Amino acid sequence: MARERATGLLTVREVLEELGGISRRTFHRWRELGPAPACIRLPNGELRVRRSVLNAWLDERAEGAA
């Protein structure tokens, strides 16, 4: 886990925690519908989200964002 933080990649679990504890099901539903942050699929099938992508995604959704 420390290695992933050093590379700026977050696990789905870490993203869920950062988003206030939303459910895994909600996150995957967002991915199906399109509004989720862009993910990286690793060769083992696990997903990662770049820290910079998550931050930009959150900034885009801030109230009053243009």
Side-chain angles (χ1 to χ4, degrees), residues 15-36:
V15 171
L16 299 178
E17 289 172 7
E18 293 240 355
L19 296 177
I22 66 165
S23 73
R24 185 173 292 269
R25 180 181 170 99
T26 297
F27 180 78
H28 287 292
R29 182 73 174 145
W30 288 353
R31 289 193 70 231
E32 289 175 17
L33 298 174

Side-chain angles (χ1 to χ4, degrees), residues 1 7-8 12-14 16-17 19 21-22 29-30 32-35 39 44-47 56-57 59 63 65:
M1 191 179 315
T7 63
V12 171
R13 177 180 282 184
E14 290 170 330
L16 299 178
E17 289 172 7
L19 296 177
I22 66 165
R29 182 73 174 145
W30 288 353
E32 289 175 17
L33 298 174
C39 296
N44 65 2
E46 291 183 12
L47 297 174
W57 183 83
D59 288 346
E63 288 191 22

